[in-house]
Amino acid sequence: MSCLIVQSDKTLLLEADHERAAECRRAIAPFAELERAPEHVHTYRITPLALWNARAAGHDAEQVIDALITFSRFPVPHSLLVDITETMDRYGRLRLEQHPTHGLVLRSLDQAVLEEVVRSRTIAPMLGQRLSTAPGHSDEAGNGAGSDDSDSDSDSDTVVVHPSERGNLKQALLTLGWPAEDLAGYVDGEAHPIELDTRDWELRPYQRAAAESSYAGGSGVVVLPCGAGKTVVGAATMALAKSTTLILVTSTVAVHQWRDELLARTSLTEDEIGEYSGTRKEIRPVTIATYQVLSAKRNGSHPHLELFDARDWGLIVYDEVHLLPAPIFRRTAQLQARRRLGLTATLIREDGREGDVFSLIGPKRYDVPWRQMEEEGWIAPADCVEVRTDLTQSERRAYATAEPQDRYRFCAASATKTQLVTELASRHTAEPTLVIGTYLDQLEELATALDAPLVTGDTTVRRREQLFAEFRSGAIHTLVVSKVANFSVDLPQARVAIQVSGSFGSRQEEAQRLGRLLRPKENGHTARFYAVVARDTQDQDYAAHRQRFLAEQGYAYRIVDATDVLAGHEL
């Protein structure tokens, strides 16, 4: 009996306990996105973006169809097979190439597709001269100014593209449903010697595979769980590229963590690594810059984006690539001639702009499910517990009469959570514990109740790094942190997290917060992740949405009542 049910709505149901489940999961992973992974049946979905990712990675429709037929328990719907073939066939009908005379060009293997594209109001301004035309068509299609039949090809049609429009064109074509295969290549950039220094550590097999996959593909995204060593993948890719590198990160703390990792794991010295942040503006062969500085506006412009042109970069690394701010997205569109590596734990963007990551950074080159990493011992197992508490009667009345825009803050920062968090923290006094929230007045109250240090956006970088160092050394066991600790904060000792409020229903934030706990623990210790939620409020509704990504990865939340916690019952 086979383990997969293939449905005409493009969903795939995988029987997780089947003896061939692991084999099937590997076969469908390149072209199907995991949606839900509860105990027994995992749901995958085939999307155009997933199929184009697969096509960009070298898989064709025949391989996809063969995998479905091989593992399907029932006959695969014929309509689905036709749709897969036609969707994948859309990728590569348009190709970006380097022309020996005209530079960057868009070449079509299907003249009808090119006719559709050059007449698009969005795309036409990005195109230049039409080098060859189909019989019966005017030379003026697109922005062309004439025909050059000497450059024509019997089965193709070609239009000049300005190099600065390479990324914008890829974005627009993806939106139109004709993703271009980018074969225009990359400039080598300025060479710079970089080697891995593995005397005291060893590159894990999946880290090596991720780096090699991204480098071989030229550009793309590596998706690995928090705690799996994405920084190491970046370092390994840099060692393959051996060129000047620009690294974009989320905060100054992340700048320092990347610098420390590169100094510990590569041949780079302090003089070769520059920091480009709010306090320093150093440009060196390897420069680590913050998104915030590059996104900063002055007189209506983004002056620091000139950093992209400051050197002949051979590689650009985007840490937490799913967070790319719009100004960086726009500027990245002009950097298509540089090798690009995106690193993230999840490609989820609440604004739905995952397609921008595909077109501007590159296709997904490597991905491993969180649970698979846990089973292999690379990340810690986690127990997720949602603790539901009731608002008091006075709080209920105040919540009911609050303005709609204020209701979430009111219930998420309810004072009833303070006693509950104090009780939960008291159960883990000997374990490194993070209390995580969004609203500063709530966090200040909790820090006072717990007699614990507080880290917020107002905490100086020096003070943050001091507190993080004391937490890592065991000098302090409890740390209250705002959302500044969501990303790129290395606290491998953390075993417990208590989440009291969040950024509305952000799935990506939930994943990052659990990720603070997933570094492997001594003796296989299980991490504990508590989410404290106000019952029958927007807090509960948003919590359900926030948990979706983790549920998709196979994490199940146990729900317990606050009265059981306060009564001292075992959880």
Side-chain angles (χ1 to χ4, degrees):
M1 183 74 70
S2 298
C3 56
L4 190 68
I5 297 176
V6 182
Q7 304 189 114
S8 57
D9 66 351
K10 302 178 184 176
T11 57
L12 311 178
L13 305 179
L14 173 63
E15 185 182 341
D17 299 324
H18 194 281
E19 61 182 10
R20 299 189 69 191
E23 181 185 359
C24 178
R25 187 181 297 113
R26 287 192 295 270
I28 66 176
F31 61 84
E33 297 291 343
L34 179 67
E35 283 197 332
R36 292 182 296 278
E39 294 84 351
H40 305 298
V41 177
H42 296 178
T43 303
Y44 290 77
R45 182 173 295 277
I46 300 174
T47 66
L49 193 57
L51 291 173
W52 294 332
N53 261 311
R55 188 70 182 82
H59 303 276
D60 58 26
E62 184 178 344
Q63 292 171 298
V64 171
I65 290 170
D66 181 65
L68 294 177
I69 292 175
T70 298
F71 292 100
S72 180
R73 184 170 299 177
F74 306 108
V76 179
H78 181 263
S79 60
L80 177 60
L81 300 181
V82 172
D83 191 67
I84 287 171
T85 301
E86 293 185 351
T87 298
M88 295 187 76
D89 188 49
R90 280 176 165 258
Y91 180 86
R93 288 205 208 178
L94 297 174
R95 296 176 177 175
L96 283 165
E97 301 176 354
Q98 289 293 337
H99 190 280
T101 306
H102 298 280
L104 184 67
V105 297
L106 180 68
R107 183 183 297 276
S108 174
L109 303 183
D110 185 329
Q111 291 181 347
V113 173
L114 190 65
E115 294 302 329
E116 175 186 348
V117 164
V118 298
R119 284 167 171 74
S120 165
R121 291 182 179 180
T122 304
I123 294 175
M126 305 178 193
L127 303 179
Q129 179 186 5
R130 185 79 170 264
L131 300 183
S132 59
T133 57
H137 289 291
S138 167
D139 290 345
E140 295 180 357
N143 278 358
S147 174
D148 181 359
D149 288 337
S150 65
D151 288 311
S152 65
D153 189 291
S154 61
D155 64 348
S156 67
D157 211 352
T158 306
V159 182
V160 173
V161 179
H162 192 281
S164 67
E165 296 288 3
R166 184 170 168 182
N168 294 323
L169 181 61
K170 286 160 66 176
Q171 275 183 296
L173 289 173
L174 185 74
T175 302
L176 201 61
W178 294 108
E181 185 175 8
D182 192 343
L183 302 175
Y186 306 95
V187 297
D188 291 333
E190 183 181 345
H192 191 80
I194 303 175
E195 301 290 343
L196 289 180
D197 182 355
T198 56
R199 287 174 293 181
D200 301 320
W201 62 284
E202 186 175 349
L203 196 63
R204 296 172 182 173
Y206 68 84
Q207 293 169 337
R208 184 184 304 278
E212 291 175 349
S213 296
S214 62
Y215 182 75
S219 287
V221 178
V222 169
V223 183
L224 287 173
C226 301
K230 291 186 289 295
T231 307
V232 175
V233 173
T237 306
M238 291 166 62
L240 292 171
K242 300 188 189 310
S243 63
T244 54
T245 302
L246 175 63
I247 303 170
L248 304 179
V249 301
T250 57
S251 67
T252 303
V253 171
V255 171
H256 298 167
Q257 289 181 174
W258 266 88
R259 180 197 60 203
D260 293 344
E261 281 286 286
L262 293 176
L263 290 173
R265 298 181 183 275
T266 72
S267 58
L268 293 168
T269 65
E270 291 189 11
D271 292 339
E272 295 173 285
I273 303 175
E275 173 182 336
Y276 200 96
S277 63
T279 56
R280 290 187 175 184
K281 301 292 186 294
E282 303 167 338
I283 299 177
R284 294 180 181 168
V286 173
T287 299
I288 311 171
T290 63
Y291 289 129
Q292 289 89 333
V293 168
L294 294 188
S295 301
K297 273 190 174 182
R298 185 180 300 163
N299 298 324
S301 65
H302 298 88
H304 298 297
L305 286 178
E306 295 175 0
L307 173 63
F308 283 126
D309 299 320
R311 290 190 83 117
D312 185 16
W313 306 109
L315 174 66
I316 301 177
V317 179
Y318 300 83
D319 194 20
E320 310 291 1
V321 67
H322 59 283
L323 293 178
L324 265 180
I328 309 298
F329 260 142
R330 287 194 293 271
R331 185 60 175 167
T332 296
Q334 301 179 35
L335 295 170
Q336 300 299 300
R338 311 289 171 188
R339 288 182 178 272
R340 301 170 306 285
L341 168 64
L343 299 171
T344 183
T346 165
L347 277 171
I348 290 173
R349 285 184 63 99
E350 299 299 339
D351 61 4
R353 294 183 65 172
E354 292 88 350
D356 283 349
V357 177
F358 173 87
S359 57
L360 296 180
I361 307 303
K364 183 168 59 178
R365 298 293 183 186
Y366 194 84
D367 187 7
V368 181
W370 291 35
R371 280 298 202 183
Q372 180 180 330
M373 297 288 287
E374 179 186 308
E375 291 168 2
E376 295 174 358
W378 299 118
I379 61 175
D383 179 25
C384 301
V385 182
E386 181 181 315
V387 183
R388 290 186 181 172
T389 183
D390 292 308
L391 300 181
T392 64
Q393 284 301 314
S394 61
E395 286 179 326
R396 289 290 306 173
R397 285 192 294 271
Y399 172 77
T401 57
E403 293 296 322
Q405 66 270 23
D406 298 328
R407 284 185 175 176
Y408 177 64
R409 180 186 180 112
F410 184 89
C411 58
S414 165
T416 62
K417 292 186 177 183
T418 300
Q419 183 183 3
L420 188 55
V421 172
T422 303
E423 171 61 29
L424 289 170
S426 70
R427 297 184 176 209
H428 300 281
T429 53
E431 299 177 85
T433 300
L434 298 174
V435 178
I436 311 174
T438 298
Y439 301 110
L440 299 186
D441 51 352
Q442 179 188 34
L443 296 177
E444 289 169 356
E445 180 181 338
L446 287 168
T448 300
L450 297 169
D451 191 25
L454 171 62
V455 177
T456 71
D458 293 331
T459 309
T460 65
V461 172
R462 178 175 295 181
R463 177 61 174 160
R464 284 188 216 179
E465 293 185 332
Q466 176 189 348
L467 291 173
F468 291 156
E470 291 178 2
F471 186 84
R472 285 191 286 265
S473 69
I476 56 177
H477 287 93
T478 303
L479 199 56
V480 181
V481 295
S482 72
K483 60 184 181 182
V484 298
N486 285 354
F487 306 104
S488 304
V489 173
D490 186 23
L491 299 173
Q493 289 74 17
R495 290 186 178 181
V496 179
I498 305 172
Q499 177 178 239
V500 294
S501 55
S503 299
F504 302 97
S506 173
R507 295 165 291 167
Q508 160 266 327
E509 182 179 67
E510 191 91 349
Q512 293 289 343
R513 287 179 171 179
L514 174 61
R516 300 303 105 212
L517 308 178
L518 294 185
R519 289 291 183 91
K521 316 301 179 190
E522 294 179 4
N523 303 319
H525 193 283
T526 297
R528 184 70 64 88
F529 183 66
Y530 296 103
V532 181
V533 177
R535 184 182 281 112
D536 298 330
T537 67
Q538 284 186 348
D539 195 20
Q540 183 175 332
D541 297 337
Y542 284 134
H545 189 269
R546 291 168 62 84
Q547 294 166 7
R548 273 183 53 201
F549 173 75
L550 296 181
E552 292 160 8
Q553 293 292 326
Y555 292 92
Y557 278 74
R558 295 188 292 114
I559 298 176
V560 301
D561 194 273
T563 55
D564 293 330
V565 175
L566 296 175
H569 296 168
E570 190 71 27
L571 299 183

